[in-house]
Amino acid sequence: MSQHARGILALLLVTVVWGTTFPAMKDMTGYLSANWIVVSRFTLAGVLLSPFLLRARWKDLHYGFLAGLVLFFCYLFQVEGLALTTSNRNAFICGLNVLVPPLLGRLLGRKAEGRIVLALVLAMAGLFALCWDGNLAWSRGDTLALLAALCFGVYILMMEAFSRKAERLMTLTAAQIWTVAICAGLWILLREVPRGQIDVHQDQLNYWAYVWQGLKLYSVNLIYLGVVATAAIISLQTWGQSHATANEAAVIYAFEPGCAAIFAYFWLGETLGWTGLLGAVLLISGMIVSQWNTTPRPTASLAPE
């Protein structure tokens, strides 16, 4: 199996695990703010990956900081939006990030391949069928989800470039994870303490007690999000994107709402109708089409970890 094929399989696994994060985070948004969810999972992941920062090259840290800054806003907008709209609408709008890499690439003078255009059409049709709930009203939560989609599309393009230029991929990964954690912590200090989104009307001690209670209550969710869905999966994503194009990654990530719907059924009891099943089929078709006549890519030149 070629490195390109392994990269595609890695991104598929990343997308499946990402699908589990929607019900895991939705479970917590009624108690914890988006910032606390983000800072908790990324701090835990950062601690686990800290050894890879030893003897780090400045170039890798620089790339990690830039990618982490964009990734912070991806998660901030996504989780904030998830608290203000339904999980299906949030997944659909966030899924619009599949259009961002080819559109930005087109603005930069790149020519979109025919198979990618067809795959994007299938993916968008699938997302619409999967998440259609009979309501086209636009809300603040939808706007935040759209901002998350735009940021994530930019992040995909950045990772396509950075993962090929970095000397050590795990240093790049650890740097961006710590950047997200630090940005989320600063955001909490500037915008949320002592009350912010959490409805605590007394002193600061009660605020921290409220947060601590929430962290204990959802400790299993946070450990899963931090260890599996962040530390392990972002590491795998960084490696996978070093062997796949940004357009291919974007189409594969379009399968995320399908995975989210499946896990939401078992986790939250949300049902999936015939339109949802049709959407899942279209999404899978888009992934298959995106891989037609794919030219093998050279292995990225990386220093041993």
Side-chain angles (χ1 to χ4, degrees):
M1 183 182 295
S2 67
Q3 288 289 78
H4 178 261
R6 291 191 181 97
I8 295 298
L9 289 176
L11 294 181
L12 284 171
L13 179 58
V14 167
T15 305
V16 171
V17 175
W18 275 350
T20 67
T21 64
F22 276 90
M25 292 190 296
K26 182 67 176 178
D27 220 16
M28 297 184 287
T29 54
Y31 194 106
L32 291 170
S33 71
N35 293 301
W36 276 108
I37 295 173
V38 173
V39 75
S40 300
R41 64 181 285 189
F42 277 87
T43 299
L44 178 57
V47 170
L48 293 175
L49 297 180
S50 288
F52 292 105
L53 293 176
L54 298 176
R55 298 185 301 277
R57 275 75 168 179
W58 167 249
K59 180 173 69 172
D60 296 341
L61 294 176
H62 177 65
Y63 290 153
F65 169 74
L66 294 177
L69 194 61
V70 176
L71 188 60
F72 162 68
F73 286 104
C74 291
Y75 280 98
L76 177 66
F77 292 142
Q78 182 190 55
V79 183
E80 292 258 12
L82 189 60
L84 299 174
T85 188
T86 65
S87 59
N88 273 350
R89 289 179 68 90
N90 185 272
F92 168 64
I93 297 170
C94 288
L96 291 175
N97 69 74
V98 301
L99 292 177
V100 177
L103 290 177
L104 288 180
R106 185 65 176 169
L107 291 176
L108 295 174
R110 299 181 187 176
K111 182 179 179 181
E113 300 175 57
R115 64 185 175 89
I116 294 297
V117 174
L118 178 57
L120 286 172
V121 171
L122 289 171
M124 290 305 302
L127 284 169
F128 187 82
L130 179 71
C131 302
W132 169 254
D133 58 6
N135 182 14
L136 289 177
W138 195 262
S139 67
R140 179 171 177 267
D142 297 332
T143 300
L144 291 171
L146 180 60
L147 290 173
L150 293 173
C151 289
F152 197 76
V154 173
Y155 173 75
I156 293 172
L157 282 174
M158 293 175 67
M159 287 304 297
E160 180 188 34
F162 293 167
S163 62
R164 287 167 169 78
K165 295 178 180 178
E167 295 183 36
R168 300 176 66 195
L169 284 180
M170 291 306 297
T171 299
L172 170 64
T173 302
Q176 65 174 306
I177 285 176
W178 269 117
T179 298
V180 174
I182 293 171
C183 286
L186 291 174
W187 194 275
I188 287 174
L189 292 176
L190 294 174
R191 298 294 301 274
E192 189 170 312
V193 174
R195 293 192 298 273
Q197 295 178 14
I198 299 178
D199 189 18
V200 179
H201 297 291
Q202 299 181 28
D203 57 24
Q204 191 169 349
L205 179 62
N206 286 342
Y207 167 82
W208 292 110
Y210 181 90
V211 170
W212 178 246
Q213 181 64 30
L215 295 177
K216 291 193 296 182
L217 181 63
Y218 295 104
S219 59
V220 174
N221 294 45
L222 291 171
I223 290 173
Y224 171 76
L225 289 170
V227 176
V228 178
T230 306
I233 287 303
I234 291 183
S235 301
L236 185 62
Q237 177 201 8
T238 303
W239 181 86
Q241 283 210 223
S242 69
H243 300 290
T245 68
N247 283 355
E248 288 169 343
V251 174
I252 291 171
Y253 295 156
F255 187 57
E256 181 183 7
C259 297
I262 293 171
F263 287 111
Y265 172 78
F266 292 103
W267 196 319
L268 303 176
E270 295 183 2
T271 58
L272 187 64
W274 69 269
T275 55
L277 294 175
L278 174 62
V281 171
L282 290 171
L283 285 169
I284 294 172
S285 300
M287 287 195 303
I288 295 173
V289 169
S290 73
Q291 297 310 302
W292 283 349
N293 301 319
T294 302
T295 303
R297 301 189 61 87
T299 303
S301 177
L302 300 172
E305 293 293 350

